[in-house]
Amino acid sequence: TESYETIRIERKGRTALLTLDRPKSLNALNLQVMNEIVAATADLDRDPGIGCIVLTGSPKAFAAGADIKEMRPQSYMDMYLSDWFTAWDRLGALRTPTVAAVSGYALGGGCELAMLCDILLAADTAVFGQPEIKLGVIPGIGGSQRLTRAVGKAKAMEMCLTGRTMDADEAERAGLVSRVVPAGDLVGEALAVAETVAGMSLPVAMMAKEAVSRAFETTLAEGVRFERRLFHAVFATADQKEGMAAFVEKRQPGFTHS
Ligand code: CAA
C-alpha cells in the first residue's frame, strides 16, 4: 500500500510520519498529492497499531499551496463536476489524532492542510498565509473558515484580503499554533508529541479529539451535552479501569486501547 510518489510514510512504533516530497514545486498540493495523502492517512486510520499521525514537509516549505499550474486551465464546470478539493475533507474526518509539523512556507492550501490537523507545531521559520487573492481566487480547502475560527476575524480578514503572511511568533500569539520550536528540532518535537498521544488509550484519544472538534461545529450547550455523553462512554473502556487503577496504585498505566 505504501508505493506513493509524492509522499513518504515511515512508521515508528505507534506513530506514523508522513512527509510531503515534491521539492521542485515546494510541495505544491496537486491532485496526486491530495489523493496520496488521503489514501495513506485512511490506511493509517484503519490500523489499530497507529495512535497518531505526523504530517510534515521540508525545511523550506510545508507546502506552498495548491498547485497553481494544475488549477490554471480549469473551467468552472471542471471544478464543479470533479468537486475539486472535496477529498481533503476526509483528512479532517480521520479519527486518529494528527499533528502538523510546519517549517517554511505554509501558504494557501499549505496553511489549510496544517489547519486540517489536530495539533499544529511551528518551526521558527514557519510562514502562514492565505495569499490566494493575489492570484485572483479565494481559499478553497476551508481556509476562510478555519483561519477565522483560529485567529479571529481581524487577522483572518486582513490576511485573506491582502494576502499578508504571519510569521511563527505571530501565529503562536494569535492561537494558530500550539508551540514554536527551533527549526532543527521540529520533526523530533512533533514525533515526541505524537508518541505521547499514541501512548494514551486510542479510543479515548479519539473521543477527546471528537469532543474538541465538536466545539467548531455546534453551540456551547450542544457541545457540552456531546462531551458529557462521551465522558460517560469512556467508562465502558478497559483503559478507564486501567488508567484509574494505575493512578491509585502509583504506577504507570498499560493501556490496551480497548
Ligand atoms: N503551485 C505550483 N507551483 C509552485 C507553487 C504552487 N502553489 N509554489 C511554488 N511553486 C513552484 C514555482 O513555480 C517554482 O517552479 P519553477 O522552478 O518551475 O519555476 C518552484 O516551485 C520554486 O518556487 P519559487 O521559485 O517561486 O521559490 P521562491 O523561494 O522564490 O518563492 C514562494 C517561494 C514565496 C512560496 C513562492 O513560490 C510562491 O509565492 N508560491 C505560491 C504561493 C501561493 O500563492 N499559494 C497559494 C496557491 S492557491 C491555493 O492554495 C488555493 C487554495 O485555497 C487551495
Side-chain angles (χ1 to χ4, degrees), residues 72-185:
R72 178 183 172 190
Q74 306 298 329
S75 69
Y76 171 65
M77 270 303 116
D78 295 331
M79 300 305 260
Y80 180 79
L81 290 173
S82 67
D83 209 0
W84 199 272
F85 289 156
T86 287
W88 284 116
D89 296 344
R90 285 190 251 154
L91 189 66
L94 293 176
R95 303 179 78 205
T96 310
T98 54
V99 179
V102 175
S103 54
Y105 297 111
L107 300 178
C111 187
E112 294 168 302
L113 171 58
M115 292 190 293
L116 275 166
C117 296
D118 301 318
I119 296 177
L120 219 165
L121 292 187
D124 48 14
T125 57
V127 177
F128 297 91
Q130 299 291 160
E132 287 90 343
I133 192 123
K134 296 200 251 175
L135 301 165
V137 298
I138 68 169
I141 313 173
S144 65
Q145 306 304 299
R146 290 197 181 86
L147 186 66
T148 307
R149 285 164 193 236
V151 307
K153 173 179 168 178
K155 281 182 193 288
M157 201 56 108
E158 188 192 350
M159 291 170 71
C160 289
L161 286 175
T162 70
R164 97 152 166 93
T165 56
M166 267 200 295
D167 66 16
D169 286 334
E170 184 180 1
E172 186 183 20
R173 285 197 304 277
L176 179 61
V177 308
S178 64
R179 247 164 353 108
V180 179
V181 301
D185 300 343

Side-chain angles (χ1 to χ4, degrees), residues 13-253:
R14 291 186 49 78
T15 68
L17 174 65
L18 186 162
T19 306
L20 279 75
D21 191 16
R22 251 195 116 201
K24 289 198 190 99
S25 55
L26 303 182
N27 292 330
L29 304 166
N30 63 11
L31 296 185
Q32 184 183 3
V33 180
M34 174 182 75
N35 289 327
E36 291 190 357
I37 291 177
V38 166
T41 53
D43 272 351
L44 294 167
D45 202 38
R46 277 190 293 271
D47 183 344
I50 293 294
C52 193
I53 304 167
V54 176
L55 275 80
T56 197
S58 70
K60 180 166 180 189
F62 179 70
D67 193 312
I68 298 165
K69 293 163 188 164
E70 185 180 53
M71 290 184 291
R72 178 183 172 190
Q74 306 298 329
S75 69
Y76 171 65
M77 270 303 116
D78 295 331
M79 300 305 260
Y80 180 79
L81 290 173
S82 67
D83 209 0
W84 199 272
F85 289 156
T86 287
W88 284 116
D89 296 344
R90 285 190 251 154
L91 189 66
L94 293 176
R95 303 179 78 205
T96 310
T98 54
V99 179
V102 175
S103 54
Y105 297 111
L107 300 178
C111 187
E112 294 168 302
L113 171 58
M115 292 190 293
L116 275 166
C117 296
D118 301 318
I119 296 177
L120 219 165
L121 292 187
D124 48 14
T125 57
V127 177
F128 297 91
Q130 299 291 160
E132 287 90 343
I133 192 123
K134 296 200 251 175
L135 301 165
V137 298
I138 68 169
I141 313 173
S144 65
Q145 306 304 299
R146 290 197 181 86
L147 186 66
T148 307
R149 285 164 193 236
V151 307
K153 173 179 168 178
K155 281 182 193 288
M157 201 56 108
E158 188 192 350
M159 291 170 71
C160 289
L161 286 175
T162 70
R164 97 152 166 93
T165 56
M166 267 200 295
D167 66 16
D169 286 334
E170 184 180 1
E172 186 183 20
R173 285 197 304 277
L176 179 61
V177 308
S178 64
R179 247 164 353 108
V180 179
V181 301
D185 300 343
L186 177 70
V187 174
E189 277 292 326
L191 288 171
V193 170
E195 206 178 297
T196 301
V197 174
M200 306 299 176
S201 164
L202 179 59
V204 177
M206 285 173 166
M207 289 189 216
K209 165 175 175 161
E210 251 194 295
V212 175
S213 301
R214 188 57 71 99
F216 289 91
E217 308 282 350
T218 192
T219 62
L220 180 62
E222 282 305 316
V224 170
R225 196 192 316 275
F226 181 77
E227 180 201 74
R228 189 72 31 79
R229 291 286 179 265
L230 286 178
F231 175 71
H232 295 161
V234 296
F235 285 79
T237 64
D239 289 335
Q240 172 268 327
K241 298 286 172 284
E242 168 61 11
M244 292 191 171
F247 176 82
V248 171
E249 293 161 16
K250 302 188 190 297
R251 59 173 175 84
Q252 288 299 310

